[in-house]
């Protein structure tokens, strides 16, 4: 099997690539990544010499390049994670999200459709998506696979659009696909622009913790390695033309999560109790901020037997330990452009 993973140098993609390279020596795993600010080959240093792994530097928006690599490597499966992934960046630069998330996805769909035109048996296009396509929940209820799409940010609108294209290629061209919509991930290798790694980095450096609005926004958090396990399972065992929701059964209001993080960080850094909580600073809210996301993951649980393997407290402790042990990684990704981004976003 020749498997193409897109976005494999990013946060979730790197865990997926590692899992596939280590679990399936009989597969060849091609990691296609443009190495944007979010892509980092350091994430894969432990497996990048493996005989069944090849890195391809390229942009999914470049249709000519995409067609060439499909022609050359004749992939049997695609696991598509490459995306612009940060809501705040989508508010300042929506078109970048249209290019990568929509046009890039359609380029991949075209290449897979054309390559598998004569024989699509045992072929699979797996699109990795987000629960944010469903919009915002009130205080009650959960997103299921049949919840209507109702995206509110340019990021979620671009992901919703890409999901629709994947389904449309299934209906129109018979493309064998599976799609998953997952809740917020956290864990090692997460770029420090998202809530948890940004706050870990700020606590280490005694910097303010910018909580948007009243901090009562709610997210459902999943440890990234549990997501990678779910992706492996759905890729191999999921049914064609089906969607699966993936979530942690683990809802937290931002402010409660931040307080737990502060508590764990104080313990690990040997700082007096409540030191880090003193860094909390309420700041102007994100425009169009979705109040609550929560996933009903019973379909993947009942049909495929998947469930999260760690509690949030365990996953968070593993995550903090990783950041504290990988200071060099953190310093490398927060030098250069990161400072300019931080100034623009938070000054
Ligand atoms: P990330 O931003 O950490 O990584 C994205 C990767 O895609 C990077 O390596 C980047 O270099 C690459 N990339 C970006 N544009 C590209 C292009 N034009 N061509 C080729 N490569 C390109 O993102 P992530 O958090 O790992 O998310 C991966 C996928 O999972 C995304 O599709 C995202 O929508 C989805 N998702 C993320 C979460 C989450 O909580 N992070 C939750 C659910 C779904
Ligand atoms: P984030 O990690 O950006 O993920 P998403 O927007 O995709 O859910 O944000 C998680 C939550 O944390 C969200 O409600 C916004 C909030 N947040 C802050 O309060 N401050 C911050 O600096 C960031 C980045 C996020």
């Amino acid at each position: 099997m020749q498997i193409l993973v897109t976005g494999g140098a990013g946060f979730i993609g790197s865990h997926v690539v590692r899992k596939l390279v280590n679990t399936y020596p009989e597969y060849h795993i091609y990691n296609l990544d443009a190495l944007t600010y979010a892509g980092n080959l350091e994430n894969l240093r432990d497996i990048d010499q493996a005989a069944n792994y090849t890195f391809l530097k390229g942009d999914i928006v470049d249709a000519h390049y995409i067609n060439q690599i499909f022609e050359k490597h004749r992939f049997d499966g695609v696991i598509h994670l490459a995306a612009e992934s940060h809501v705040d960046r989508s508010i300042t630069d929506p078109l970048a999200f249209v290019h990568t998330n929509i046009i890039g996805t359609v380029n991949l769909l075209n290449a897979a459709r054309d390559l598998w035109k004569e024989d699509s048996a045992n072929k699979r296009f797996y699109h990795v998506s987000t629960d944010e396509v469903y919009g915002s929940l009130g205080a009650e209820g959960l997103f299921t696979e049949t919840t209507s799409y109702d995206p509110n940010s340019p990021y979620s609108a671009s992901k919703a659009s890409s999901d629709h294209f994947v389904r449309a290629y299934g209906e129109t061209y018979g493309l064998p696909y599976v799609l998953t919509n997952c809740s917020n991930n956290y864990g090692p290798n997460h770029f420090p622009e998202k809530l948890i790694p940004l706050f870990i980095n700020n606590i280490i450096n005694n910097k303010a913790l910018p909580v948007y609005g009243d901090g009562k926004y709610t997210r459902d958090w999943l440890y990234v390695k549990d997501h990678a396990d779910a992706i492996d399972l759905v890729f191999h065992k999921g049914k064609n033309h089906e969607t699966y929701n993936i979530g942690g059964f683990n809802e937290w209001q931002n402010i409660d999560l931040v307080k737990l993080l502060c508590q764990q960080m104080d313990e690990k850094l040997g700082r007096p109790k409540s030191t880090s909580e003193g860094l909390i600073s309420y700041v102007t809210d994100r425009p169009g901020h979705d109040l609550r996301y929560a996933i009903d993951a019973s379909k993947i649980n009942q049909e495929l037997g998947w469930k999260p393997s760690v509690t949030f407290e365990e996953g968070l402790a593993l995550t903090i330990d990783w950041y504290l042990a990988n200071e060099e990684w953190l310093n490398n990704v927060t030098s250069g452009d990161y400072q300019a981004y931080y100034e623009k976003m938070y000054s």
Side-chain angles (χ1 to χ4, degrees):
M1 286 259 268
Q2 307 277 93
I3 309 294
L4 174 68
V5 179
T6 70
F11 167 47
I12 302 170
S14 60
H15 290 277
V16 171
V17 166
R18 175 177 299 99
K19 166 113 201 162
L20 296 175
V21 166
N22 288 337
T23 313
Y24 304 103
E26 70 278 23
Y27 293 179
H28 198 95
I29 310 300
Y30 295 87
N31 170 17
L32 166 64
D33 199 296
L35 300 182
T36 69
Y37 77 93
N40 186 352
L41 289 176
E42 285 293 295
N43 294 345
L44 292 165
R45 211 171 28 183
D46 56 321
I47 56 102
D48 65 9
Q49 298 304 316
N52 64 338
Y53 172 75
T54 302
F55 175 66
L56 304 170
K57 183 169 186 307
D59 188 337
I60 59 170
V61 179
D62 181 348
H64 179 69
Y65 172 76
I66 293 299
N67 291 336
Q68 269 184 342
I69 60 166
F70 271 73
E71 190 55 40
K72 180 167 179 200
H73 301 293
R74 311 199 70 78
F75 305 117
D76 301 292
V78 176
I79 305 180
H80 174 36
L81 297 107
E84 289 292 338
S85 68
H86 189 35
V87 173
D88 291 334
R89 287 184 192 256
S90 81
I91 295 168
T92 49
D93 186 9
L95 261 184
F97 287 68
V98 172
H99 288 138
T100 290
N101 298 1
I102 306 177
I103 297 173
T105 300
V106 175
N107 284 339
L108 291 164
L109 288 167
N110 283 338
R113 175 201 61 194
D114 293 348
L115 180 65
W116 301 338
K117 195 166 47 196
E118 307 301 337
D119 180 12
S120 66
N122 302 317
K123 306 289 190 279
R124 174 153 277 188
F125 190 102
Y126 183 157
H127 183 55
V128 176
S129 193
T130 167
D131 61 354
E132 304 193 23
V133 298
Y134 298 124
S136 185
L137 290 164
E140 299 289 315
L142 300 170
F143 296 134
T144 71
E145 287 79 1
T146 56
T147 301
S148 301
Y149 276 33
D150 191 17
N152 292 314
S153 73
Y155 164 64
S156 54
S158 68
K159 291 296 291 188
S161 174
S162 64
D163 292 10
H164 290 319
F165 271 103
V166 172
R167 281 209 188 83
Y169 273 60
E171 292 301 316
T172 307
Y173 306 110
L175 186 85
Y177 78 86
V178 281
L179 204 164
T180 51
N181 296 92
C182 186
S183 63
N184 287 57
N185 284 217
Y186 69 98
N189 309 95
H190 205 182
F191 191 80
E193 62 183 352
K194 308 280 169 65
L195 179 74
I196 291 179
L198 186 133
F199 279 32
I200 290 175
N201 185 43
N202 284 12
I203 292 171
I204 293 172
N205 293 296
N206 284 304
K207 281 174 68 176
L209 306 176
V211 173
Y212 296 162
D214 62 4
K216 300 257 168 73
Y217 296 90
T218 301
R219 299 290 182 263
D220 169 359
W221 294 92
L222 178 68
Y223 191 55
V224 64
K225 294 184 186 182
D226 283 330
H227 190 190
D229 289 349
I231 290 173
D232 178 19
L233 190 64
V234 171
F235 181 68
H236 289 96
K237 300 267 164 34
K239 286 196 203 122
N240 267 337
H241 294 206
E242 290 278 334
T243 287
Y244 298 86
N245 279 354
I246 306 173
F249 304 99
N250 177 42
E251 281 184 56
W252 286 81
Q253 280 196 345
N254 291 342
I255 191 63
D256 295 333
L257 183 162
V258 169
K259 286 182 179 166
L260 175 66
L261 179 67
C262 287
Q263 200 185 310
Q264 288 201 1
M265 290 288 293
D266 284 344
E267 280 165 25
K268 288 183 191 288
L269 291 168
R271 294 181 182 170
K273 237 175 150 182
S274 304
T275 306
S276 300
E277 267 194 48
L279 297 169
I280 292 174
S281 160
Y282 291 91
V283 300
T284 310
D285 211 347
R286 169 189 282 173
H289 199 165
D290 286 332
L291 178 67
R292 177 171 165 259
Y293 304 142
I295 281 277
D296 177 352
S298 49
K299 178 175 171 182
I300 187 172
N301 174 253
Q302 283 159 19
E303 284 189 17
L304 304 179
W306 175 89
K307 62 176 184 343
S309 70
V310 292
T311 65
F312 189 55
E313 285 76 1
E314 288 165 348
L316 197 58
L318 289 168
T319 304
I320 297 169
D321 289 344
W322 186 86
Y323 280 92
L324 294 179
N326 288 274
E327 211 180 327
E328 196 187 331
W329 184 96
L330 200 49
N331 289 339
N332 287 343
V333 301
T334 54
S335 61
D337 289 351
Y338 181 81
Q339 300 302 336
Y341 165 80
Y342 201 90
E343 279 302 309
K344 188 169 156 208
M345 202 61 78
Y346 294 100
S347 64

